[in-house]
Amino acid sequence: MRVLFISNFPRLKSNKSSGIFVFKRLQIMRNFGIEFVNTIPVFSDDIFVRLLKRFLRKPVFNFHEIVEEEEAITYIPSVVENSLLLLVLRKLRYSYDSQKSADKISQSFDITKFDVIVAHGMYGVPAGEIAYFLAKKYNKPFVVFLHGSDVNIFMKKRKTRYVKILEGASKTVFVSNKLLNTARSFGYRGDNAIVIPNGYDPEIFYPVDKIEMRKQLGLYDGKSKYYVGFVGNLVHIKRADKLGEIFKKINATLLETKFIVVGDGPLRKSLEDELKDLDVVFTGIIPQKEVAKYMNAMDIMILPSRNEGWPCVVLEAQACGT
């Protein structure tokens, strides 16, 4: 079987945990002898768009940040030039980005040689919509995987468009029944739906002695009785803006508590300022194997998210006995 794999979740040089679950899936596909080409739809901002984004204080994505190869898994960006004209056309026709990306992919690869198109995510430039356009043009089956915000946030805004794509797929895979039911509430019938919950890697996430791990990480000080942590991006949707309030309430009751924040994001600086009087360790972005160590060092991990599909970190923490 030959698979054209389209994903919104690349591995990034600057973020050691980015796209890890898709990377693991590709490894398993390879172990099963499945041939695949893995492409990432991205836009390259021209100088005018970059200047506009800087003026509006919007992030400028550099597609050169995408890892080219990792453990024999290759990432091939499908790059479309992003111009001011494209920004205007995007407002007039929401699917314009996806169509441009589909055209770029069809120019780069012979779609007729693939047996199926597999798309992960309906974020940003929706991989599922790109697969929809390619499948329609080349009469190929396609499968869409949905993870959380693509349904909980984006589908809410684009109901008609997303329903057409999801119902046009051979299979639509959700990570939880809750996510499937949310999609149904927006008009999706669900006749082609499958629920496959996220898993974890038992070779990375397993219990070890907590005190020994705290010593190994330099966290053990002989006085802290409790270790409470958070693992995730320091962004609004993860409710990282409330970590300061949460940690302070815990500390008011349990005075001998050390707090651990694993992850990074735009809210980090404000959190560091807010929590400067508490015993808090910020790790920044670290590899998955290091995440497992810090999870093992915790007594409790909290996840106060405003929105989740099926949070892998919960399974991973439980696998560590936390």
Side-chain angles (χ1 to χ4, degrees):
M1 175 183 285
R2 297 201 74 224
V3 175
L4 176 61
F5 196 95
I6 308 172
S7 170
N8 294 128
F9 306 98
R11 298 286 281 153
L12 300 176
K13 298 171 185 175
S14 59
N15 185 343
K16 298 178 178 64
S17 60
S18 60
I20 187 68
F21 62 96
V22 168
F23 171 70
K24 294 288 186 180
R25 189 178 299 266
L26 290 170
Q27 284 185 316
I28 296 299
M29 286 172 59
R30 184 184 59 193
N31 293 345
F32 274 99
I34 298 172
E35 294 182 43
F36 59 83
V37 168
N38 173 34
T39 187
I40 311 292
V42 292
F43 281 85
S44 176
D45 297 332
D46 66 15
I47 186 170
F48 300 106
V49 174
R50 290 199 299 272
L51 288 172
L52 178 62
K53 285 185 173 181
R54 286 196 180 100
F55 176 75
L56 298 174
R57 296 184 179 179
K58 299 288 186 180
V60 177
F61 177 72
N62 181 2
F63 71 88
H64 294 293
E65 272 292 299
I66 296 176
V67 172
E68 295 175 3
E69 183 176 335
E70 183 176 6
E71 296 182 27
I73 301 295
T74 303
Y75 291 82
I76 306 173
S78 292
V79 184
V80 174
E81 183 81 3
N82 196 18
S83 64
L84 291 177
L85 176 60
L86 188 59
L87 292 178
V88 173
L89 291 171
R90 185 179 301 154
K91 293 293 184 183
L92 297 175
R93 195 178 112 206
Y94 292 120
S95 60
Y96 193 81
D97 287 354
S98 301
Q99 186 65 69
K100 290 286 289 184
S101 294
D103 293 342
K104 180 66 177 181
I105 290 172
S106 63
Q107 292 166 13
S108 303
F109 309 106
D110 185 354
I111 309 301
T112 63
K113 292 185 177 180
F114 294 100
D115 298 301
V116 63
I117 302 169
V118 175
H120 263 269
M122 290 286 283
Y123 309 88
V125 185
E129 187 167 45
I130 297 169
Y132 170 82
F133 285 131
L134 290 172
K136 193 173 181 182
K137 181 176 180 179
Y138 293 95
N139 192 29
K140 296 289 182 179
F142 75 102
V143 178
V144 181
F145 285 78
L146 299 149
H147 302 273
S149 295
D150 38 17
V151 173
N152 292 325
I153 296 176
F154 294 103
M155 190 173 180
K156 185 187 299 184
K157 303 174 184 177
R158 308 163 184 171
K159 296 177 187 175
T160 303
R161 175 181 167 194
Y162 275 40
V163 166
K164 178 177 70 174
I165 295 164
L166 300 188
E167 292 187 349
S170 297
K171 293 294 178 183
T172 301
V173 185
F174 297 83
V175 294
S176 69
N177 285 306
K178 175 66 168 61
L179 200 63
L180 169 57
N181 290 333
T182 300
R184 281 179 168 142
S185 74
F186 297 139
Y188 168 64
R189 292 196 303 270
D191 297 337
N192 61 344
I194 300 176
V195 174
I196 304 177
N198 288 331
Y200 71 94
D201 188 341
E203 294 184 3
I204 294 177
F205 297 96
Y206 54 86
V208 298
D209 184 85
K210 291 188 177 297
I211 293 178
E212 289 303 314
M213 184 53 66
R214 290 165 189 167
K215 289 179 178 178
Q216 181 181 326
L217 295 170
L219 298 173
Y220 187 76
D221 53 21
K223 62 179 182 179
S224 298
K225 290 185 178 180
Y226 312 101
Y227 289 74
V228 176
F230 168 87
V231 178
N233 294 322
L234 300 180
V235 294
H236 183 265
I237 197 168
K238 296 290 185 181
R239 213 184 296 267
D241 53 302
K242 295 292 185 181
L243 286 180
E245 179 183 345
I246 294 168
F247 286 0
K248 286 178 180 179
K249 286 185 175 181
I250 293 171
N251 191 67
T253 303
L254 306 174
L255 296 178
E256 297 167 313
T257 299
K258 184 184 289 289
F259 299 95
I260 304 167
V261 178
V262 179
D264 210 336
L267 297 177
R268 176 171 175 172
K269 179 63 171 62
S270 61
L271 274 174
E272 287 176 332
D273 292 341
E274 186 178 2
L275 295 169
K276 61 185 178 183
D277 295 329
L278 299 187
D279 186 358
V280 186
V281 174
F282 287 85
T283 71
I285 297 172
I286 56 178
Q288 198 177 42
K289 289 182 180 179
E290 294 298 307
V291 171
K293 292 180 181 180
Y294 280 94
M295 282 182 170
N296 267 295
M298 300 173 190
D299 293 304
I300 293 174
M301 186 196 77
I302 65 171
L303 184 68
S305 287
R306 291 179 167 90
N307 201 310
E308 288 286 348
W310 179 277
C312 293
V313 291
V314 170
L315 296 177
E316 291 163 353
Q318 287 181 323
C320 292
T322 298

